[in-house]
Amino acid sequence: MTALARKPHRHETASQNAANEAFAADVIAGLTATPKRLPPKYFYDSVGSELFERITSLPEYYPTRCEAEILTAHAKEIADLFPKGAALIEFGSGSSTKTRIVLSEAKTLAAYVPVDISAEFLHQQVEGLRQEYPNVAMLPVAADISKPFRLPDSAEMLPRAGFFPGSTIGNFEPHEAAAFLRHAGRILGRGATFIVGVDLVKDPQILQKAYNDSQGVTARFNLNLLARINRELGAKFDLAAFEHHAFFNRERSRIEMHLASLKRQRVKVCGECIDFRAGETIHTENSYKYSLESFGALARGAGWSPVAVWTDADNYFSVHALTLKDDPAEARDRADH
Ligand code: AVI
């Protein structure tokens, strides 16, 4: 039986209500700010997660292909870095496609803990993983990876390794990325290995195309944020009156995604009137691109020691292996002073 098919328990309904309230509060805060913005974590409802899966196989979207190339070439080296009998904790697991490359080589792994904000999608994925890897305990956690969350009790007892592929770390501001690495350090603990996928700075034309695909899937992914606000918060955004914009901001080394209003308009959201000028945008996502050195420095600043780094043949993407020698609380104190 899937999470979709059964009647929700009362505590689940309560947590769903709390999630709805947080969504409404973030939407109103973002749309009444100047400039307008919306947090990218809200892209990933079930429609957005499906659209993102489609993005990952687009010809222009190189990160997924390049990262899979790296993981396939180095799966054994990576798996050898995991402690015996470890729990592998994946932050933002999605469809766990890349994890499968590593899981197939990690013969001594005791448990896999996929953590993802999209509960429905997560539970659907775990059904399949249980069949494919019967010797690995599947312990899903539906949570926002950027906030503290509890590991299942059976994973608490095991040595841990972390996996954060896909360059999702690039969707954080650099100071948030450092805070995330420290937070992951607190979850994974001293001595842990952390495998992190990081997109690299490259020819802006390649970057530009990756976020402006010819089939318009990225545009639909971006616009789904407004569709989700309509569905879940009862707003009346006219999707035809907004356009997807994505461009490389060289100075800040990031792709920016926006939704541009095609006309002057007013939209009612949760009882608030939100006014748009023609051409005004809602900033929906940043995707930072690092060099090998700049990411290494960021990781060191958050208490992690780089142990290895691999890139694809074109040097478009990188996979970093980090280890935590320090106590994460001490690293945080050092960074704060
Ligand atoms: C999830 N994240 C790493 C993607 C990225 O490339 O920043 C999200 C995405 N946005 C548009 N296309 C893909």
Side-chain angles (χ1 to χ4, degrees):
M1 192 159 57
T2 66
L4 275 176
R6 66 182 166 75
K7 190 168 173 250
H9 295 296
R10 202 182 310 150
H11 72 271
E12 287 173 321
T13 316
S15 73
Q16 191 54 50
N17 287 344
N20 274 349
E21 277 173 26
F23 180 38
D26 285 345
V27 166
I28 290 302
L31 294 181
T32 53
T34 311
K36 292 181 173 56
R37 55 183 154 71
L38 286 170
K41 68 179 177 186
Y42 292 119
F43 281 135
Y44 303 94
D45 65 346
S46 53
V47 178
S49 297
E50 294 289 354
L51 284 166
F52 181 67
E53 284 310 306
R54 287 189 56 196
I55 288 177
T56 61
S57 49
L58 290 169
E60 298 96 333
Y61 194 75
Y62 62 85
T64 314
R65 264 194 325 281
C66 293
E67 191 177 38
E69 176 189 323
I70 301 167
L71 293 174
T72 306
H74 302 285
K76 175 89 175 61
E77 286 160 81
I78 291 170
D80 286 349
L81 293 171
F82 301 155
K84 279 209 173 62
L88 179 66
I89 293 136
E90 180 168 358
F91 295 83
S93 49
S95 61
S96 302
T97 311
K98 292 164 203 153
T99 327
R100 285 176 165 86
I101 305 175
V102 174
L103 282 180
S104 303
E105 286 295 335
K107 309 279 185 228
T108 67
L109 212 60
Y112 171 53
V113 184
V115 185
D116 203 282
I117 197 166
S118 179
E120 281 174 22
F121 196 73
L122 177 68
H123 289 102
Q124 285 163 13
Q125 300 309 314
V126 163
E127 295 295 314
L129 284 162
R130 286 207 168 102
Q131 318 260 326
E132 287 170 57
Y133 301 95
N135 298 329
V136 180
M138 297 293 160
L139 308 170
V141 174
D144 177 349
I145 56 161
S146 62
K147 305 244 167 75
F149 59 86
R150 277 204 56 179
L151 289 177
D153 290 344
S154 38
E156 287 279 1
M157 319 298 293
L158 303 173
R160 293 164 214 156
F163 192 40
F164 193 36
S167 200
T168 305
I169 197 143
N171 296 131
F172 294 125
E173 293 303 305
H175 72 278
E176 293 170 344
F180 175 81
L181 288 173
R182 283 195 290 274
H183 150 75
R186 282 189 286 275
I187 292 169
L188 297 173
R190 195 194 288 253
T193 299
F194 197 15
I195 306 296
V196 186
V198 182
D199 197 10
L200 297 174
V201 192
K202 61 186 65 63
D203 178 352
Q205 276 200 351
I206 293 166
L207 288 167
Q208 191 83 13
K209 281 194 183 151
Y211 292 84
N212 290 284
D213 66 276
S214 57
Q215 295 170 48
V217 184
T218 311
R220 257 174 282 154
F221 172 72
N222 200 5
L223 282 159
N224 177 56
L225 205 41
L226 300 184
R228 179 176 183 184
I229 296 171
N230 286 349
R231 280 193 295 273
E232 294 183 21
L233 304 179
K236 294 254 169 359
F237 278 104
D238 172 7
L239 301 199
F242 287 86
E243 193 174 66
H244 164 74
H245 283 187
F247 57 88
F248 186 56
N249 178 335
R250 261 180 217 260
E251 243 168 62
R252 313 202 58 177
S253 196
R254 69 189 192 195
I255 284 281
E256 293 187 12
M257 289 211 316
H258 295 254
L259 288 164
S261 175
L262 295 174
K263 59 179 188 191
R264 197 169 152 214
Q265 54 182 318
R266 171 171 286 182
V267 184
K268 217 168 175 194
V269 186
C270 301
E272 292 264 350
C273 288
I274 310 292
D275 289 314
F276 291 89
R277 299 184 310 276
E280 184 178 2
T281 75
I282 309 171
H283 190 169
T284 52
E285 187 182 63
N286 288 322
S287 190
Y288 281 85
K289 310 302 170 190
Y290 289 90
S291 64
L292 296 180
E293 296 72 28
S294 65
F295 185 75
L298 184 88
R300 272 193 293 274
W304 290 90
S305 306
V307 285
V309 61
W310 302 278
T311 61
D312 58 291
D314 293 319
N315 282 322
Y316 281 1
F317 202 90
S318 59
V319 173
H320 296 248
L322 311 171
T323 185
L324 190 65
K325 298 212 176 89
D326 251 345
D327 182 272
E330 286 166 20
R332 187 196 53 233
D333 289 348
R334 261 206 318 280
D336 291 346
H337 290 108

